Amino acid sequence: AQSVTQPDIHITVSEGASLELRCNYSYGATPYLFWYVQSPGQGLQLLLKYFSGDTLVQGIKGFEAEFKRSQSSFNLRKPSVHWSDAAEYFCAVGAGGQGAQKLVFGQGTRLTINP
Amino acid sequence: NAGVMQNPRHLVRRRGQEARLRCSPMKGHSHVYWYRQLPEEGLKFMVYLQKENIIDESGMPKERFSAEFPKEGPSILRIQQVVRGDSAAYFCASSPPGLAGNRVPYFGPGTRLTVL
């Protein structure tokens, strides 16, 4: 069965510092991978996605993620965080045998920004 | 282009009542998914529908829960005889038709259900 692990439940970084959020997946075929962000009381906003091709993908708000098949990882990075990046981040893999329809989510990583 | 719309945003029900959650997908999207976010459990897939068809309901509880996506109108997630354990945030997502690789799910703002 497909699964996603986000090892860090909570991360705190200082404003302006670099950020890396970890994501490991388990999936038998070529995965469809996503990162979403959720602010308190809000829905999920798509940050970026990987389907195929270049393993380094660029997203919105200055985020990027790198797909590493050998490590089954899809880590999210940002060179310099802003206070507005404080939120919960979810990694997801598209499952169901037909690509992106059914998402399996990780438990999420809550990001706190120190001023 | 309006995003995925869900209503109500907040819903309070007493135990034993029915809850109806509505989802209007983005324009041009014919695929709808429902997810539930329970405290301490994360986001879990419930059901995937296309117009007038349930494609995958493997995540739906066996009793009291049902979903539909009629030819006209929004998708409805219906919970009968609610219990306190149904209190959660329910999210709808939609995606366009076409190649699987293009079916990126976009999420609505969610409905927060509280059962008293």
Side-chain angles (χ1 to χ4, degrees):
Chain A
Q2 299 82 6
S3 66
V4 176
T5 301
Q6 293 181 246
D8 304 305
I9 295 174
H10 185 201
I11 283 183
T12 300
V13 300
S14 298
E15 190 168 15
S18 63
L19 172 69
E20 183 169 28
L21 301 183
R22 296 183 289 164
C23 172
N24 292 95
Y25 68 90
S26 171
Y27 189 63
T30 300
Y32 295 82
L33 294 163
F34 305 82
W35 276 99
Y36 288 87
V37 61
Q38 184 182 30
S39 297
Q42 303 298 313
L44 283 80
Q45 182 181 24
L46 178 70
L47 284 176
L48 47 77
K49 63 185 184 293
Y50 172 78
F51 287 169
S52 64
D54 193 346
T55 56
L56 184 64
V57 293
Q58 303 297 321
I60 62 171
K61 303 184 179 186
F63 286 92
E64 66 177 26
E66 186 170 13
F67 170 59
K68 293 186 178 180
R69 184 186 300 275
S70 61
Q71 298 177 21
S72 297
S73 70
F74 189 56
N75 294 349
L76 183 71
R77 301 193 294 248
K78 185 169 184 177
S80 175
V81 297
H82 187 262
W83 64 267
S84 60
D85 294 324
E88 188 144 22
Y89 291 79
F90 293 93
C91 180
V93 62
Q98 298 180 62
Q101 286 90 339
K102 174 177 160 181
L103 299 182
V104 175
F105 284 90
Q107 284 295 95
T109 298
R110 184 158 56 93
L111 176 64
T112 298
I113 307 295
N114 281 338
Chain B
N1 188 10
V4 178
M5 300 179 69
Q6 291 187 248
N7 67 81
R9 294 291 306 275
H10 299 273
L11 182 62
V12 179
R13 285 287 179 265
R14 297 192 180 277
R15 282 178 296 168
Q17 291 184 319
E18 178 180 287
R20 282 186 179 235
L21 288 62
R22 293 173 182 77
C23 169
S24 296
M26 289 177 67
K27 187 176 180 181
H29 288 195
S30 56
H31 300 229
V32 165
Y33 322 82
W34 286 93
Y35 291 81
R36 180 166 64 174
Q37 188 174 36
L38 285 162
E40 310 304 324
E41 287 193 23
L43 281 148
K44 303 292 185 186
F45 168 82
M46 299 180 75
V47 62
Y48 162 41
L49 311 101
Q50 296 179 20
K51 285 284 187 181
E52 299 184 281
N53 284 300
I54 297 174
I55 307 301
D56 182 348
E57 57 182 344
S58 58
M60 286 281 268
K62 293 289 185 274
E63 298 177 346
R64 302 187 297 107
F65 285 71
S66 62
E68 63 177 11
F69 188 18
K71 187 176 181 180
E72 301 290 339
S75 175
I76 307 286
L77 179 68
R78 182 183 178 203
I79 311 172
Q80 294 179 289
Q81 299 174 345
V82 297
V83 301
R84 289 213 172 114
D86 297 332
S87 296
Y90 292 82
F91 291 97
C92 171
S94 72
S95 68
L99 296 174
N102 294 329
R103 297 184 201 163
V104 178
Y106 291 90
F107 282 79
T111 294
R112 270 89 183 156
L113 173 65
T114 301
V115 179
L116 301 178

